[in-house]
């Protein structure tokens, strides 16, 4: 059963953009994934599941490739927007949290399709040995560096993955700022 918010976005969002005068070529979809696995994360209702089954993910990526789509990361997208490039058939692909199943299930499919992505890491969950937290394995720093050499970008998704709405300004600054600095230090480059 499809999620109603996703259906509404597809069937109502795009026509509204056209009605209000924005050119479709300036609208670039951002495909946000979390886990590429069969793991339902204990959620029984499809609305709350954050996984995409590996077979479905492969079909989605192949469909995009076969229909002429290309991927950009956020910095490339911003440059293309500033230049006024035609962004039709352009997508941005992101993954939240840094689950290890990106490495085992998604990376090869994306490579075969010629796509790149940005993975937003929860920095306290990325270790030298794979950390299992709440029944899920996370990437290791070695895997992150290997993926980085393959063109995958990394960014900050906080230190501990708290609900930011429940934190004060100093705690929010720590969660966002320290995570970014830590990732940049570990990767010896600026995080997205």
């Amino acid at each position: 059963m499809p999620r109603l918010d996703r259906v509404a976005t597809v069937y109502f969002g795009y026509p509204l953009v056209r009605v209000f005068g924005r050119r479709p070529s300036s609208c670039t979809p951002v495909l946000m994934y979390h886990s590429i696995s069969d793991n339902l994360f204990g959620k029984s209702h499809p609305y709350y599941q954050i996984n995409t089954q590996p077979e479905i993910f492969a079909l989605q990526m192949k469909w995009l490739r076969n229909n002429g789509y290309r991927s950009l990361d956020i910095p490339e997208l911003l440059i293309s927007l500033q230049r006024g490039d035609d962004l039709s058939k352009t997508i941005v692909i992101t993954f939240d949290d840094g689950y290890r199943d990106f490495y085992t299930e998604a990376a090869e499919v994306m490579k075969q399709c010629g796509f790149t992505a940005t993975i937003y890491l929860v920095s306290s969950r990325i270790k030298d040995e794979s950390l299992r937290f709440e029944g899920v394995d996370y990437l290791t720093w070695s895997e992150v560096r290997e993926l980085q050499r393959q063109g995958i970008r990394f960014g900050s998704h906080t230190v501990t993955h708290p609900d930011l709405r429940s934190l004060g300004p100093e705690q929010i600054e720590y969660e966002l700022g320290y995570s970014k600095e830590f990732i940049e230090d570990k990767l010896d480059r600026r995080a997205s």
Side-chain angles (χ1 to χ4, degrees):
M1 178 176 185
R3 284 179 42 169
L4 291 179
D5 60 331
R6 292 177 183 164
V7 171
T9 299
V10 170
Y11 291 102
F12 300 112
Y14 184 75
L16 286 175
V17 167
R18 294 192 70 194
V19 166
F20 289 105
R22 292 190 64 197
R23 295 179 302 128
S25 66
S26 67
C27 298
T28 302
V30 176
L31 307 179
M32 183 190 75
Y33 293 93
H34 283 81
S35 174
I36 306 303
S37 71
D38 294 317
N39 183 348
L40 299 180
F41 293 81
K43 309 291 185 188
S44 60
H45 193 283
Y47 182 83
Y48 298 104
Q49 294 168 3
I50 62 170
N51 70 304
T52 301
Q53 295 175 330
E55 308 80 36
I56 300 298
F57 178 76
L59 287 172
Q60 291 171 352
M61 293 301 108
K62 290 173 185 172
W63 185 91
L64 289 165
R65 180 200 60 209
N66 293 341
N67 284 279
Y69 283 84
R70 67 187 178 110
S71 66
L72 296 176
D73 58 35
I74 298 293
E76 291 171 326
L77 175 65
L78 294 175
I79 291 168
S80 293
L81 284 169
Q82 289 173 343
R83 287 193 308 233
D85 295 348
D86 179 11
L87 294 173
S88 56
K89 299 277 184 164
T90 300
I91 54 172
V92 172
I93 305 172
T94 69
F95 291 81
D96 278 0
D97 302 330
Y99 297 124
R100 189 166 188 273
D101 54 51
F102 177 87
Y103 183 81
T104 60
E105 302 292 340
E108 186 59 32
V109 171
M110 294 194 61
K111 183 177 178 182
Q112 290 172 1
C113 293
F115 295 143
T116 188
T118 301
I119 301 174
Y120 294 99
L121 302 173
V122 177
S123 61
S124 68
R125 298 181 187 170
I126 310 301
K127 306 286 185 188
D128 291 332
E129 299 291 325
S130 185
L131 172 71
R132 180 168 274 262
F133 184 80
E134 296 180 344
V136 183
D137 294 327
Y138 286 81
L139 290 165
T140 66
W141 284 115
S142 172
E143 292 163 342
V144 168
R145 287 185 195 95
E146 180 183 338
L147 291 167
Q148 184 182 38
R149 287 190 295 274
Q150 295 174 17
I152 302 297
R153 285 187 169 264
F154 292 89
S156 167
H157 194 51
T158 72
V159 175
T160 63
H161 204 284
D163 180 349
L164 295 175
R165 298 172 298 177
S166 68
L167 302 181
E170 289 179 8
Q171 293 168 306
I172 291 172
E173 187 175 326
Y174 166 77
E175 286 287 336
L176 300 177
Y178 182 72
S179 176
K180 182 177 185 298
E181 289 174 21
F182 185 72
I183 293 167
E184 289 174 349
D185 183 56
K186 282 292 205 177
L187 298 181
D188 197 30
R189 72 173 5 175
R190 188 177 168 105
S192 297

